[in-house]
Amino acid sequence: MLGKGQGFRSRIDMHQMLGSMFDNVNKMPHALARLDSKPIRMQTAASKVELAVLHVIEAEPSSADMGAMCERNPLHSFMFDAHGKLLNANKATFEAFQSCPPDPVADRHITLKKLFRLGYYPGGQEEALAAYEEAYNDIFNLKLDCHKHPQPHKSRKDGTIKWEMIEMWPMQDPIDASPAVLVKKYDITAQKDLELKLSIQQQKLQRQNQELERYSASVVEDKVRLQEQADSLSQRLEAVLHDKFERKSFDADTPIDKTLAYLQSVIQGSSLPVQAALDLYHILSESGADLRQPIGLKKQLLQTYSLDADVGQSMLQLLQGCGQSEAPFPGSGDAAPGQTEAAGGPLVHRTSSLASASLMPSITPALERQLQDAGSNWQFDIFAFAEETPNNTLSLLAMHCFQQSGVVQHYKLRERHFWRWLQRIESGYVASNPYHNSVHVASVLQMAHMLLTHGGIRQSNAMGMQEVYGTYWSAITHDFEHGGLNNDFLIRTYHPLAICYNDQSPLENHHLAAASRITILEFRHVFGALELAEDAVSLRKQIINMVLGTDMKKHFDIVSRFQAAFKKAPSSGNSTTEIDWAAVKTEDKTLMHQMLLKCADIGHLAADVSTHKRWAYQLEEEFFRQGDKEKACGLTVSPLMDREHAGGMTRSQLGFLNIVGIPLFKAMAELFEGTQPMLDGVLANYRQWEAAAQASEASMK
């Protein structure tokens, strides 16, 4: 180093002298050097000699070692100016660049941009240029303390991808203090391989974790499904055991049932005693035998089956009728005071302000949620719905069912007129009846809708659109203008309806006739929606058969025929779920229609316990009111209808469920497996009544 001035010798710290060259560099080597200075004369021109100072820097051993190490260090060190031009580089750098393949874009001079171009990027030179621009911006514009860039390159030896780290620090050129950058380039292939392995392992673990989560979710689903299956099998086993043990002393088989069972055994090759054939012969040959009623029904209910007297008499009256009138014939002069008045006016043409209503009420979000629940819940809370829809409970639910099923759209029903018809029908139900009111009818409609949409009936194509139309219609009108008194009372008192229909299902006939009369005379457009006259005829026939089938006097006849029609033949391996409904006879489809409405009519047996018991006690109150009328008429009070002898509800419910309810719902579930939740609900309520009966017996001991 040359400089003007006086000569001197000194020991200096090179870091202090040259430190400005390494401003902003994180790591700078520290070394001491000895500086000897002496004056000299030197010729600067042909005839000019000037005095100068010669500075001789001699590195101390530590500094020399440091320089040698730097030369041998595999780190490639560069210094570039702000234009990317190389200012300095170590020996390893020059050697590495001499072995690099020629750059098709630039010459062999080392530049900052070329440093990036040497990378083997998936995006080619565009990605390399982007990496360079990002680095340049970080160092010279943003002036970050450090910029790191992992650079891939392709091995010339085996073609594998290697990785190098380009690490950059901003600094000043020690000559002119202009912006510069110090660059180090070193191999990180092992690190990247480790990162790649760790990444692959992490992805593998994530996939395994996801698979475990899916497996866990699948296990939970399987557990729920298996639990549901176990519960269902338990319920079915309970139903079978119920048939075998609980009802072992009651034989519900009719003569036809026994004959079919005998023939089936013969077809299967069973050896039967001759006495069984003789018994059948004697039963069938009796002139007064009702082939569709259980053999010896009266004797079984009153003597053989373990029912107390009142329950047995009540069941016999329900299923077979009173058989004769107790009251004197009208006009004979022997009628008790007030008898004619008490008996003659329970069923009359009724009109209310609702009949003139023409606009549907607005559907609030809360009400919409209840309607949606009605379409999917086997144990829908009909009482909560009724509280939110006073005077419109049946109409709103009916409109929802007709719309959701597609009937309104299919038959192009004018909703405003249809709403008026629904309101007119709803006004024909007596709100003061504890049981047979519009809320009961809405409950029947909702259960019929569940049987159609979730019980497998629509899914199996057992019903077409017209039959769905008829089912809803039957449910809506099946108790129209019910006065809260049963058929036996009407027959015993020579009620005008009993006389009109010759004691044959007077209530059911009136429900049909009264509702049809109003529809045909005032709302012809409801029937007019059907395209062909024969469609209207077949629809009306379906409605008549379904509503008349709700008379409990026909219970055993319908159930027996239904089971015979759809029981699997001995030689057939087909399940009832594979029935070709298009090939089923009209008479057999009628039985299926009747069974559907029968199940819906006593559907509260499948409701949750609180709802079911509320209906049961409201029915009991209606029975008590009939008993009060029977007393006023001077008649013998019907069994379980005397409010002075209350407390028979538990006993009567067990008897009704054993003889009527469980066999009915079980027969439906055997044909349509989707109705199993309904049977499960019935069995759950049976257990509640059974527990109550046991508790009552225990308290009396």
Side-chain angles (χ1 to χ4, degrees), residues 47 119 235 316 365 382 389 453 609:
S47 59
Q235 297 282 10
L316 184 63
I382 191 64
T389 57
T453 58
V609 175

Side-chain angles (χ1 to χ4, degrees), residues 614-686:
R614 181 172 174 178
W615 279 121
Y617 287 111
Q618 288 184 197
L619 178 61
E620 183 180 50
E621 173 57 29
E622 194 165 289
F623 284 169
F624 288 158
R625 293 186 184 186
Q626 177 172 319
D628 296 340
K629 283 185 175 292
E630 289 173 341
K631 289 180 180 179
C633 293
L635 303 175
T636 302
V637 179
S638 298
L640 302 180
M641 294 190 181
D642 191 344
R643 66 174 68 250
E644 294 180 4
H645 298 86
M649 177 54 66
T650 300
R651 304 192 312 278
S652 66
Q653 283 299 103
L654 283 174
F656 184 79
L657 283 163
N658 274 323
I659 297 171
V660 176
I662 293 176
L664 174 70
F665 289 100
K666 183 172 178 288
M668 198 67 173
E670 288 175 349
L671 181 62
F672 297 106
E673 294 182 359
T675 64
Q676 183 64 36
M678 180 178 62
L679 176 59
D680 294 343
V682 175
L683 293 172
N685 283 319
Y686 176 81

Side-chain angles (χ1 to χ4, degrees), residues 35 63 161 260 270 285 300 333 471 478 486 503 621 623 643:
L35 176 64
S63 178
I161 299 299
L260 291 175
S270 301
S285 61
Q300 287 194 79
T471 298
H478 83 281
N486 63 20
D503 296 346
E621 173 57 29
F623 284 169
R643 66 174 68 250

Side-chain angles (χ1 to χ4, degrees), residues 130-151:
Y132 162 74
E133 291 176 346
E134 180 184 3
Y136 187 94
N137 183 60
D138 285 353
I139 295 298
F140 293 106
N141 296 331
L142 300 179
K143 301 185 184 303
L144 299 182
D145 290 340
C146 182
H147 175 85
K148 292 183 179 182
H149 172 70
Q151 183 185 61

Side-chain angles (χ1 to χ4, degrees), residues 71 105 236 341 390 468 533 540 645 682 701:
E71 289 296 317
V105 179
R236 294 183 185 186
E341 293 78 5
V468 173
R540 176 163 163 74
H645 298 86
V682 175
K701 292 181 180 180

Side-chain angles (χ1 to χ4, degrees), residues 6-30:
Q6 300 298 320
F8 60 90
R9 294 175 63 88
S10 66
R11 178 184 177 89
I12 65 170
D13 185 349
M14 292 298 293
H15 183 274
Q16 179 179 359
M17 179 178 178
L18 304 177
S20 60
M21 295 173 56
F22 298 94
D23 287 346
N24 299 321
V25 177
N26 292 336
K27 294 181 180 179
M28 188 190 80
H30 291 261

Side-chain angles (χ1 to χ4, degrees), residues 353-361 399 415-421 423:
S353 59
L354 292 175
S356 61
S358 59
L359 298 177
M360 285 184 60
M399 181 62 81
E415 292 190 8
R416 184 169 63 87
H417 293 88
F418 192 64
W419 172 256
R420 290 181 58 207
W421 177 77
Q423 288 274 277

